[in-house]
Amino acid sequence: MKTFKILLTILVFNSSFLIAQDLKPEYQKFISKFILEVKNGDKEAIAKRIKFPFKRDYPIPSVKDKADFVKRYNQIFDKVLIEKITKSDPAKDWSEVGWRGIMLNRGDMWIDIDGRIISINHQSEEELKLKNSLIAKQKKSVNSSLSNFKEPVAILETSKFRIRIDDLGNNNYRYASWSIKQEMTETPDLVIEKGVFIADGTGGNHYFDFKKGNFKYRCYFIVLGEKDSPPAILTVYQSGKAILSQDAKIVSR
């Protein structure tokens, strides 16, 4: 799974950043119950554990609610994932990782200390096919000059701009922007390639930098912030000095 598991999952949950501890007996108890629910194919019980909306790999839409999860259960919980869960040992294969929660193996699944499923970092063949189909549709819905991307990353909107970030492959990210009144099928006002991704700590915050001459365009995504923090911020620098900063909403990601 590529690009935007880059963030909510790879940065927030990637075990390479974390120190895992043995699972406490009380946590082993509800993990054992969850394993039994998966063995029995109890979709309703598992659905009650999901924290909604439940993010899937973009551009696959998030799971909205319990009914949506039950409908998509087989798409998410394929044979491979079910086997990983049902053959796991709560005392050996599950571990506690501080405030981030409890992980299966090296991060295949994350459950919080209240027993809610907060992330599944496994993608079934069915989801992969759906993802590729949605990417193909997106390529037809943007200006033809931008249709050569490998994977979409995000679409942002500020009060003045619509911004699209795409992964062109090989850690090469592209920035394209329009006036907020324009559609993405129109020719973009600005396109910058060779953007870079930068993680800001281990809490999940991150940004993409795009340079053009003495200008730098930074799209900062706030995963862990203050209560009133915006989802994202666009900042434009000229010769190292910030000349514009606008809060941004994440339209899709």
Side-chain angles (χ1 to χ4, degrees):
M1 301 171 76
K2 296 259 187 190
T3 307
F4 242 70
K5 277 198 142 180
I6 293 180
L7 279 312
L8 199 58
T9 53
I10 294 181
L11 279 185
V12 178
F13 301 126
N14 192 324
S15 58
S16 64
F17 288 101
L18 312 174
I19 299 175
Q21 299 177 343
D22 291 341
L23 209 57
K24 295 183 178 71
E26 58 266 34
Y27 297 155
Q28 290 184 35
K29 186 175 180 180
F30 71 65
I31 291 295
S32 295
K33 185 177 179 182
F34 167 64
I35 291 171
L36 183 59
E37 290 167 354
V38 175
K39 283 182 178 178
N40 294 335
D42 193 342
K43 300 177 185 179
E44 294 289 333
I46 298 168
K48 291 179 182 178
R49 294 183 178 275
I50 301 290
K51 185 176 180 180
F52 298 108
F54 190 66
K55 188 170 177 63
R56 303 310 296 145
D57 199 17
Y58 182 67
I60 299 172
S62 295
V63 183
K64 298 179 292 184
D65 51 29
K66 179 180 176 181
D68 191 23
F69 174 78
V70 171
K71 182 180 178 181
R72 295 166 61 179
Y73 176 84
N74 293 334
Q75 184 184 84
I76 299 170
F77 280 73
D78 65 352
K79 291 181 179 180
V80 176
L81 180 59
I82 289 173
E83 185 171 322
K84 285 182 179 180
I85 296 168
T86 56
K87 290 189 176 181
S88 68
D89 182 333
K92 297 179 180 179
D93 302 312
W94 296 80
S95 50
E96 185 183 353
V97 194
W99 61 268
R100 293 169 177 83
I102 298 164
M103 69 176 178
L104 169 62
N105 299 324
R106 301 295 291 174
D108 291 322
M109 171 178 284
W110 285 82
I111 296 179
D112 68 19
I113 58 174
D114 295 320
R116 298 177 301 174
I117 300 171
I118 52 178
S119 179
I120 295 176
N121 299 328
H122 167 81
Q123 189 170 67
S124 66
E125 286 296 324
E126 188 175 347
E127 273 198 325
L128 181 59
K129 288 178 182 178
L130 174 60
K131 177 182 175 179
N132 290 337
S133 173
L134 293 172
I135 289 175
K137 287 182 180 179
Q138 279 207 17
K139 289 182 176 183
K140 295 179 180 179
S141 66
V142 298
N143 186 270
S144 59
S145 65
L146 302 176
S147 63
N148 62 326
F149 60 87
K150 183 178 181 180
E151 291 189 354
V153 173
I155 298 172
L156 306 177
E157 288 183 0
T158 73
S159 59
K160 294 183 178 181
F161 305 107
R162 178 170 291 111
I163 300 160
R164 180 182 181 96
I165 302 173
D166 290 306
D167 180 359
L168 303 184
N170 298 316
N171 297 313
N172 177 11
Y173 297 93
R174 181 180 62 202
Y175 175 103
S177 70
W178 298 258
S179 162
I180 193 65
K181 296 180 180 179
Q182 291 179 293
E183 299 295 332
M184 289 188 293
T185 52
E186 299 181 57
T187 302
D189 298 319
L190 177 65
V191 177
I192 309 173
E193 295 187 4
K194 297 183 180 180
V196 295
F197 160 81
I198 301 169
D200 188 9
T202 62
N205 294 348
H206 57 284
Y207 55 94
F208 294 85
D209 274 353
F210 304 88
K211 295 180 181 179
K212 188 176 182 67
N214 63 340
F215 288 90
K216 180 169 66 179
Y217 296 77
R218 174 170 293 175
C219 295
Y220 193 100
F221 292 81
I222 301 172
V223 176
L224 186 65
E226 301 297 328
K227 186 176 181 181
D228 57 351
S229 296
I233 300 173
L234 167 68
T235 306
V236 181
Y237 300 86
Q238 183 177 18
S239 301
K241 181 180 180 180
I243 60 172
L244 179 146
S245 181
Q246 294 183 354
D247 292 352
K249 66 178 181 180
I250 302 172
V251 177
S252 59
R253 169 182 172 182

